[in-house]
Amino acid sequence: MKIATWNINGVKARIDSLRQWLSDFSPDIVCLQEIKSVDEGFPRLEIEALGYNVETHGQKGFNGVAILSKLKPEDVLRGLPGDDTDEQSRYIEAVFSIPSGVLRVASIYLPNGNPSDDPVKYPYKLAWMDRLARHAQARLLLEEPLVLAGDYNVIPEPHDCFDPAAWVNDALFLPQTRAAFRRLENLGFTDAVRATSDQTKLYTFWDYQAGAWQKNNGIRIDHLMLSPEAADRLVATSIAKQVRAWEKPSDHVPVVGTFDFASRL
């Protein structure tokens, strides 16, 4: 089973690229972020025509997450628990039946947090990460495969960016941000890409400005974080870097994990 995450940066603007990638690669579950669309405006028919179920948690013009799946979801949670006043659409979670039991997948669009000295934006990012950790810890008690897939807006380590000095004061790379990300790891979650490769220059995002793509000045901020039960089934990961060179690309590319859920361990 192939499970992917992709910050699409506007699903209507990238619908041709999305349809092409779905047709060419045929992932089983795709977690989209930054769809920038209300639920009723999502191009559902175009995706359903390719054999996918569509679940969205949209927001007009900003944010928004979705899960596309060949399997029909049995339960869907929209919104990250822990703050009833949070109106930003950044989290959707779905449950699927698989031969080995149950699979739970979440699409996450973690706040950017910049500028890091902003009295609202960066505290909101850290508070959101705290809520995510608390929710993830509760989900771990279910002892089922769980994939927390998304744009985390976190550069975990210096080798996950082209030039650490350029990011030292950025909300994506501040010590508090990286510590909050490590909290997930300390709970027992595995960074799928780093579980399968220690290569440098593995990036998932290249800015539109200053020739970042052409110079390979990228960062790795899109992650598949796996519960122990999901990590045990991980076979391989890949980063679809070629998608960044397509016409009208997103500044992010898909990250894909391949899993063996065919039977019980």
Side-chain angles (χ1 to χ4, degrees):
M1 178 181 287
K2 297 174 183 175
I3 301 176
T5 182
W6 190 5
N7 180 319
I8 198 73
N9 191 16
V11 67
K12 295 175 185 176
R14 320 291 170 209
I15 186 60
D16 290 340
S17 293
L18 177 59
R19 291 177 62 199
Q20 179 181 340
W21 184 72
L22 291 174
S23 298
D24 292 349
F25 192 74
S26 192
D28 298 280
I29 299 175
V30 180
C31 298
L32 296 179
Q33 301 86 40
E34 211 171 354
I35 61 174
K36 297 180 180 179
S37 170
V38 293
D39 294 337
E40 55 270 26
F42 191 91
R44 177 181 299 272
L45 295 179
E46 291 93 324
I47 305 304
E48 290 178 340
L50 297 174
Y52 287 89
N53 296 282
V54 177
E55 298 291 344
T56 61
H57 181 39
Q59 183 176 342
K60 186 177 180 179
F62 299 94
N63 305 324
V65 286
I67 296 179
L68 319 179
S69 60
K70 293 182 179 179
L71 298 173
K72 186 173 179 60
E74 297 182 358
D75 189 24
V76 179
L77 170 68
R78 291 174 172 83
L80 181 64
D83 183 358
D84 293 339
T85 67
D86 188 0
E87 297 181 350
Q88 298 191 31
S89 299
R90 294 182 175 273
Y91 188 91
I92 186 170
E93 176 183 306
V95 176
F96 304 91
S97 289
I98 56 176
S100 57
V102 170
L103 168 66
R104 191 179 298 269
V105 177
S107 181
I108 294 168
Y109 182 38
L110 207 145
N112 180 286
N114 280 305
S116 58
D117 59 355
D118 187 280
V120 175
K121 291 183 177 181
Y122 191 61
Y124 173 67
K125 179 189 185 83
L126 293 180
W128 206 96
M129 296 183 78
D130 180 67
R131 285 164 54 202
L132 176 62
R134 286 186 277 117
H135 178 66
Q137 186 173 23
R139 287 292 190 239
L140 285 177
L141 298 177
L142 299 174
E143 297 185 348
E144 60 193 19
L146 168 61
V147 180
L148 300 177
D151 174 2
Y152 278 72
N153 273 313
V154 176
I155 303 169
E157 299 292 342
H159 58 252
D160 291 314
C161 60
F162 71 93
D163 180 10
W167 296 90
V168 66
N169 293 316
D170 195 281
L172 279 63
F173 194 58
L174 286 177
Q176 303 97 305
T177 302
R178 294 158 62 198
F181 185 80
R182 284 194 297 273
R183 180 180 173 188
L184 275 179
E185 294 179 311
N186 292 338
L187 287 173
F189 284 88
T190 296
D191 179 342
V193 168
R194 283 301 170 212
T196 56
S197 177
D198 59 0
Q199 293 182 36
T200 59
K201 298 183 179 180
L202 288 178
Y203 305 139
T204 65
F205 170 93
W206 295 262
D207 195 276
Y208 291 126
Q209 307 298 320
W213 166 244
Q214 291 77 9
K215 299 174 185 176
N216 197 30
N217 290 347
I219 55 178
R220 190 176 73 93
I221 57 175
D222 303 270
H223 309 299
L224 301 171
M225 300 300 290
L226 313 178
S227 71
E229 294 79 8
D232 285 344
R233 303 305 189 111
L234 180 65
V235 176
T237 59
S238 61
I239 298 173
K241 184 177 178 179
Q242 73 279 4
V243 175
R244 185 62 174 79
W246 289 0
E247 186 177 356
K248 293 179 63 178
S250 170
D251 39 11
H252 298 250
V253 298
V255 180
V256 185
T258 302
F259 299 84
D260 178 7
F261 292 124
S263 60
R264 295 184 183 274
L265 287 175

